[in-house]
Amino acid sequence: QVQLVESGGGLVQPGGSLSLSCAASGFIFRSYSMSWYRQAPGKERELVALIQTTGISFYYPDSVKGRFTISRDNAKNTVFLQMNSLKPEDTAVYYCKAISTVRAGLEYWGQGTQVTVSS
């Protein structure tokens, strides 16, 4: 059974930091690129970070570049998102996503974790 379980969300003040984790099981983690998305109320889900299978290649949109860092531990089947200098506009539900690099179109989503940035 495939599972992606996010954790680490919560309430943080502007300028603060949070670290999210996504624990994967039920598939060959090292064969999947991993990403984090977020969705704020009334807005479309957007990509905030992507990391390839080896952990060498990354992508960040301008909105989070320099503040968010994605990493992965293939031995522990876990992907992380370190978020610094958080802003109120970072408030959203954060989801992790696994994308197969060997089978086109195969992907999995987690259930999401709420991040709220507010004073």
Side-chain angles (χ1 to χ4, degrees):
Q1 181 181 0
V2 171
Q3 282 192 310
L4 290 171
V5 180
E6 300 97 336
S7 61
L11 173 64
V12 63
Q13 292 187 342
S17 298
L18 276 178
S19 182
L20 305 184
S21 299
C22 174
S25 60
F27 61 97
I28 303 175
F29 182 76
R30 63 180 182 274
S31 296
Y32 286 69
S33 63
M34 298 299 298
S35 54
W36 287 94
Y37 282 73
R38 68 185 180 189
Q39 188 166 21
K43 294 188 177 182
E44 293 186 355
R45 194 171 294 189
E46 63 170 343
L47 175 68
V48 295
L50 171 72
I51 187 168
Q52 296 295 351
T53 55
T54 59
I56 297 176
S57 179
F58 317 92
Y59 167 79
Y60 304 97
D62 289 343
S63 58
V64 307
K65 195 173 293 182
R67 300 188 298 121
F68 289 13
T69 303
I70 189 171
S71 61
R72 66 188 294 162
D73 185 338
N74 285 348
K76 296 182 178 180
N77 291 355
T78 303
V79 62
F80 307 94
L81 184 68
Q82 178 66 39
M83 305 184 293
N84 299 327
S85 303
L86 284 162
K87 306 174 182 180
E89 52 263 42
D90 294 318
T91 295
V93 178
Y94 283 71
Y95 301 88
C96 70
K97 177 182 177 181
I99 307 168
S100 175
T101 61
V102 296
R103 183 175 172 184
L106 181 59
E107 60 186 41
Y108 306 113
W109 288 91
Q111 293 299 306
T113 185
Q114 176 71 46
V115 171
T116 302
V117 184
S118 175
S119 55

